[in-house]
Amino acid sequence: MNVIRTRRKREGLLHRLEIGCNLLPVKEFQRSAAGKQQDCSLSIRPPQVLQHTITYLFNCILPVDASLDAYNFVENRLRSVRQDLFKQQCPGHIVLPILEPIIRFYAWATYWYSELPGFDSYLNDVQLLECLKASLRVADESSEMPSSDIEALYLLLNLGNIHPLLRSFSLSTKRRSPLLVKSEKLSLDWHMGNYVRVCGKIKELPVLLAALISAKHFPTIRRHALGTMSVAYNSRNLVVPLSLLVSTGLFGDEKEAGEYCQHYGLQSGTEIRPNRSHSLAPSATSLTPEAPETSSAHRVASARK
Amino acid sequence: MLNDMSIVQYCQQVNNYWNKKNGTMLAEWLSLRHPHAYNKNIWTAKPENNIPGYIDEYLGELMCAHIRCIHAISEGDAALAYNEQSNAVQVFIRIFQYYKEENWLLPVMNTICLELRLIAGKVESLPVKGSHNSAIKPREALEKAAETLMTCFRICSSDNRSSEQDTKRWGMLSLVNQLFKLYFRINKLHLMKPLIRAIDSSPLKEKFPLSQQVTYRYYVGRKAMFDSDYNLANENLTFAFQSCHKMSKKNKHLILIYLVPLKILLGYLPKRSLLEKYDLLQLWEVGEAVRCGNSRKLTEAIEVHQEFFIKTGIYLILERLRLVTYRNLFKKVFLITKNSVVQLEDLLTALRFSESPDIELEEANCILANLIHQGKVKGYISHSHQKVVFSKTDAFPKLSSLT
């Protein structure tokens, strides 16, 4: 291990978050590739060291620097942690306590960095899903109990999708915690298209789960709601006040609702004119390429803090 | 007679059918469920020395694997039995490929493949003994069995040169059915798609035995239900139910587990006598709740038999009936008011009465908006007047007419 560290130091490969007072070099992730030499047993970190590594990354790096660069650094080092962990084929009671904080990190990043230019939410989601599946697989095979928020995260990441729902229903009673049951109901409500109930139930969830839904699914929920309303309230002379959108819980205030409707070309003053034939495509006059949904995502979580 | 038979006599018997190319009888004598499998004279872990020299080499190997499998079953070692049956299928595949443009071995293939699947399923439940304990995991057995069956399927489906009478393609549907059962068990439904395509494009599609067609349509219907393609599911499950033999009450029961919720979703409510006949009274209360438009009753009916609904995989489709329940409730309000313009407050009152007193006006709006959006209700909501204006003609179109 020391040899690699010395080599990286000598070749100037240390990250800025690895140089300086109280900062330590952390083993970086290396993709396995043809011709690449496998790690020798000495360079694979045992589970206790991996646990210390993630504690160090979360307690010493992220609180000091939460920039995108720091995210990329931590994300890379966490992948390396997972790589070392899976190589050792550890039992469930060792794997789960290491994987679960990593999962929470990715879930938090989905929300926290969602507005930052340069943040690749797709790659973050891929890693999140990979970790979730790995931890649930380990839990299934070892009959270890994963934390209830991890089961709920998997369900809510795939909100409305029937496969995670069916999986969740088939779990033993012991594993179906109240939080998971609540998440199941929320996912079912979204499966049925009941956006009012979804918006109401999001507020009852723990902050991390609420933030994940806000960042990940709120745009789709709002789009569905506006699409449904365009058909249901469709009449030549009638209008719908923006206050209805606010009271359903879809938006924080009328200004935000107005911006959003304007983006889809639905707004007319303080009211919207629903139109069945409207395709809900972003309007040509809209300045922003994407609807301003994430600002509301921040609102949902900040209101809860 | 069968109980006294020695291994040599057994081999002679099998060899006779082999020489006569009698696939049906050969299949029986290579089956684990045939009476010879209970003959203790045959139970041996090393049958190689007892196989007469005049027997074909491949057939000898097949019989050895078969006898070892019988022995493992008698010992209660499911994992070993699975390995031996898997070996038997591997040897059979070589024989099957050797006999080009001949299909007399199809009954043997059907039997040993079916039994491979059954043993793979038993690996989970039977006690596992000996050193083979760690050799194979339960799920792995099912997955490997599916791979083996897939090899047989490839041989059958690629036999294009033989005449229709002699083609191995006659074995495709039976294998596909076995594979479907495995895919449902291991939850890999996406693997069904290429098989469905292969059968649907086969010229023999309508000519396969009806019993196999019923099984095939049952699984295609279940998959379509899973994919929320309810019309396709209805078509296939209805065919399966109507074509299923009237004496196969158990199979009809299995088909109805999926067909009844589907029919309710499409607006057809089952008669109590039908549900009683096929032991499906769990669905009666569900149907009644939908008919009355009572969402609370629906929740209760689902909760009472929740375990059964989850196990059979219809829980989600029953939840989907909630929208039909709301539609029926609103229709009742519409009929009572005898007016095409109804106060939203009236709908809210009905919802509060039939579901929960906590429901707010926004949610009533949302439910109604979803129904209008999906075409289950014709009309529009006037927010400024707090009214809903139902269409004067056919405000509640038949659910079966909706696509």
Side-chain angles (χ1 to χ4, degrees):
Chain A
M1 189 73 87
N2 281 333
V3 180
I4 300 170
R5 193 185 300 172
T6 319
R7 183 182 60 78
R8 285 181 60 214
K9 200 171 180 180
R10 192 180 60 233
E11 293 175 6
L13 293 174
L14 288 180
H15 191 272
R16 69 172 177 85
L17 292 168
E18 292 174 308
I19 312 162
C21 185
N22 295 331
L23 295 176
L24 297 166
V26 186
K27 186 180 171 186
E28 63 179 350
F29 171 72
Q30 283 187 320
R31 203 176 293 278
S32 57
K36 189 184 162 292
Q37 222 172 8
Q38 284 290 313
D39 279 342
C40 66
S41 57
L42 281 175
S43 65
I44 296 177
R45 294 162 290 181
Q48 300 92 314
V49 178
L50 295 176
Q51 189 77 60
H52 286 311
T53 309
I54 55 170
T55 310
Y56 164 74
L57 290 171
F58 292 154
N59 291 349
C60 302
I61 301 292
L62 285 176
V64 179
D65 186 350
S67 65
L68 193 59
D69 184 42
Y71 162 80
N72 287 330
F73 169 75
V74 173
E75 198 272 336
N76 177 284
R77 300 316 188 252
L78 289 178
R79 284 183 78 177
S80 164
V81 166
R82 275 157 54 203
Q83 202 174 32
D84 279 3
L85 182 68
F86 292 132
K87 274 179 187 167
Q88 296 171 71
Q89 297 189 342
C90 302
H93 69 275
I94 293 176
V95 174
L96 289 179
I98 297 175
L99 273 184
E100 287 180 357
I102 299 179
I103 291 169
R104 291 189 193 102
F105 163 75
Y106 282 119
W108 167 78
T110 305
Y111 163 74
W112 192 257
Y113 296 102
S114 57
E115 279 190 326
L116 276 186
F119 172 70
D120 194 332
S121 63
Y122 173 76
L123 287 181
N124 188 69
D125 288 350
V126 168
Q127 296 304 324
L128 173 57
L129 201 59
E130 208 173 282
C131 293
L132 275 170
K133 282 182 176 173
S135 76
L136 296 180
R137 196 169 45 242
V138 167
D140 289 345
E141 285 170 4
S142 66
S143 66
E144 281 289 321
M145 285 271 285
S147 303
S148 59
D149 63 330
I150 300 298
E151 292 272 16
L153 255 173
Y154 178 62
L155 201 60
L156 297 177
L157 183 69
N158 302 288
L159 195 69
N161 190 326
I162 59 169
H163 300 278
L165 263 174
L166 288 173
R167 182 193 170 278
S168 180
F169 291 143
S170 58
L171 287 174
S172 62
T173 328
K174 205 170 74 176
R175 269 177 78 171
R176 291 185 67 198
S177 61
L179 179 61
L180 184 63
V181 174
K182 197 183 272 184
S183 308
E184 277 171 9
K185 284 186 179 156
L186 198 151
S187 192
L188 262 179
D189 285 333
W190 177 232
H191 185 66
M192 308 291 293
N194 194 329
Y195 48 87
V196 173
R197 218 177 272 180
V198 171
C199 291
K201 282 182 182 166
I202 288 176
K203 291 170 191 159
E204 297 168 13
L205 290 174
V207 175
L208 187 67
L209 300 182
L212 180 82
I213 297 184
S214 304
K216 190 102 194 69
H217 299 292
F218 234 54
T220 323
I221 294 169
R222 284 172 168 177
R223 202 180 154 94
H224 164 80
L226 284 182
T228 307
M229 288 166 112
S230 299
V231 176
Y233 293 82
N234 174 47
S235 174
R236 231 175 297 161
N237 307 319
L238 297 174
V239 289
V240 175
L242 289 172
S243 57
L244 179 68
L245 297 179
V246 178
S247 62
T248 52
L250 286 164
F251 297 95
D253 51 45
E254 289 188 21
K255 185 171 170 279
E256 191 189 6
E259 278 173 15
Y260 198 87
C261 293
Q262 201 169 28
H263 177 75
Y264 286 115
L266 281 171
Q267 198 203 4
S268 167
T270 55
E271 296 152 339
I272 56 170
R273 288 194 177 276
N275 186 351
R276 188 184 284 268
S277 57
H278 202 88
S279 65
L280 276 196
S283 77
T285 53
S286 172
L287 293 173
T288 47
E290 287 296 323
E293 54 257 327
T294 42
S295 58
S296 172
H298 278 285
R299 173 187 57 76
V300 170
S302 59
R304 303 180 44 81
K305 275 175 191 171
Chain B
M1 170 66 188
L2 283 176
N3 287 338
D4 303 331
M5 192 180 253
S6 68
I7 289 196
V8 177
Q9 283 173 316
Y10 167 72
C11 294
Q12 278 172 350
Q13 191 76 30
V14 172
N15 196 43
N16 278 343
Y17 293 126
W18 171 267
N19 290 334
K20 287 177 193 165
K21 295 195 174 180
N22 187 340
T24 315
M25 289 310 290
L26 190 62
E28 278 195 24
W29 283 82
L30 288 171
S31 167
L32 302 170
R33 293 167 295 166
H34 189 258
H36 78 264
Y38 303 97
N39 179 358
K40 288 183 180 174
N41 297 340
I42 295 178
W43 294 354
T44 169
K46 290 185 178 171
E48 292 82 0
N49 301 332
N50 299 316
I51 304 288
Y54 56 83
I55 284 181
D56 181 272
E57 189 191 338
Y58 282 161
L59 180 64
E61 273 186 55
L62 179 59
M63 280 196 286
C64 282
H66 174 65
I67 291 169
R68 281 197 299 267
C69 181
I70 290 174
H71 179 255
I73 292 174
S74 70
E75 297 279 307
D77 192 339
L80 182 60
Y82 169 78
N83 280 337
E84 292 303 341
Q85 185 67 8
S86 186
N87 288 340
V89 179
Q90 295 297 344
V91 176
F92 172 78
I93 287 171
R94 275 187 278 159
I95 300 171
F96 200 43
Q97 280 174 318
Y98 178 78
Y99 285 95
K100 289 186 174 35
E101 304 192 9
E102 289 182 46
N103 67 1
W104 62 274
L105 280 166
L106 282 179
V108 182
M109 181 194 75
N110 290 341
T111 303
I112 61 171
C113 286
L114 166 71
E115 286 169 356
L116 178 71
R117 178 181 69 79
L118 293 176
I119 297 178
K122 289 276 181 190
V123 170
E124 286 181 27
S125 52
L126 278 182
V128 186
K129 288 181 184 173
S131 58
H132 298 274
N133 215 343
S134 57
I136 190 144
K137 290 173 187 167
R139 194 179 161 92
E140 202 180 313
L142 293 167
E143 283 172 359
K144 283 194 171 171
E147 279 172 29
T148 313
L149 262 59
M150 200 61 202
T151 314
C152 291
F153 176 77
R154 284 195 199 99
I155 297 169
C156 290
S157 62
S158 59
D159 186 19
N160 295 319
R161 292 185 184 176
S162 318
S163 63
E164 188 177 310
Q165 200 184 344
D166 297 325
T167 183
K168 291 188 179 75
R169 280 183 291 162
W170 285 111
M172 280 165 68
L173 194 57
S174 139
L175 283 171
V176 164
N177 288 339
Q178 298 299 331
L179 282 165
F180 280 178
K181 286 177 194 183
L182 283 169
Y183 291 154
F184 265 96
R185 185 98 184 248
I186 58 178
N187 200 17
K188 287 196 172 172
L189 300 195
H190 61 283
L191 297 175
M192 289 172 72
K193 205 175 169 184
L195 298 177
I196 294 173
R197 207 182 298 139
I199 296 297
D200 285 350
S201 61
S202 166
L204 303 175
K205 188 188 172 189
E206 308 291 332
K207 296 178 187 170
F208 285 114
L210 188 60
S211 58
Q212 292 182 10
Q213 284 190 50
V214 168
T215 312
Y216 172 74
R217 299 285 282 263
Y218 165 72
Y219 281 109
V220 172
R222 277 186 65 183
K223 178 172 188 307
M225 252 179 106
F226 210 63
D227 297 338
S228 307
D229 188 346
Y230 298 124
N231 284 331
L232 183 68
N234 183 31
E235 188 191 317
N236 281 292
L237 289 170
T238 306
F239 175 90
F241 185 70
Q242 286 172 350
S243 310
C244 186
H245 196 278
K246 63 179 178 184
M247 298 303 285
S248 305
K249 213 170 166 184
K250 190 185 161 197
N251 287 349
K252 286 205 162 198
H253 164 86
L254 289 173
I255 298 168
L256 279 179
I257 288 175
Y258 302 95
L259 190 56
V260 169
L262 200 60
K263 287 285 187 190
I264 300 176
L265 198 68
L266 296 172
Y268 303 99
L269 291 164
K271 284 183 183 172
R272 192 180 169 93
S273 56
L274 176 94
L275 297 177
E276 266 173 353
K277 186 178 173 185
Y278 291 105
D279 191 21
L280 275 172
L281 275 176
Q282 298 98 324
L283 291 166
W284 169 249
E285 285 161 34
V286 173
E288 277 300 286
V290 174
R291 192 177 61 79
C292 304
N294 194 324
S295 187
R296 193 190 301 125
K297 263 191 182 175
L298 180 69
T299 309
E300 285 165 8
I302 294 175
E303 272 176 11
V304 170
H305 305 288
Q306 192 174 7
E307 205 174 316
F308 171 74
F309 296 145
I310 288 173
K311 200 175 146 198
T312 50
I314 57 169
Y315 186 85
L316 271 177
I317 199 165
L318 295 181
E319 280 293 339
R320 282 190 84 95
L321 292 178
R322 208 171 289 280
L323 267 184
V324 182
T325 313
Y326 291 138
R327 173 221 180 247
N328 291 351
L329 177 71
F330 292 165
K331 188 176 178 182
K332 278 183 195 293
V333 176
F334 168 73
L335 291 174
I336 291 167
T337 51
K338 292 178 186 164
N339 193 344
S340 62
V341 181
V342 177
Q343 292 279 349
L344 280 173
E345 198 65 37
D346 293 343
L347 298 183
L348 179 65
T349 310
L351 272 174
R352 283 182 174 162
F353 176 75
S354 72
E355 187 168 1
S356 157
D358 307 332
I359 290 185
E360 297 292 332
L361 189 61
E362 285 81 13
E363 195 173 340
N365 265 293
C366 171
I367 291 168
L368 186 58
N370 269 312
L371 286 171
I372 295 173
H373 184 242
Q374 291 179 15
K376 288 187 170 76
V377 172
K378 280 189 189 171
Y380 64 89
I381 306 169
S382 165
H383 184 264
S384 49
H385 299 101
Q386 287 294 300
K387 283 176 183 170
V388 53
V389 182
F390 289 110
S391 168
K392 283 188 177 133
T393 55
D394 200 17
F396 295 86
K398 281 187 174 176
L399 293 168
S400 54
S401 67
L402 303 172
T403 51

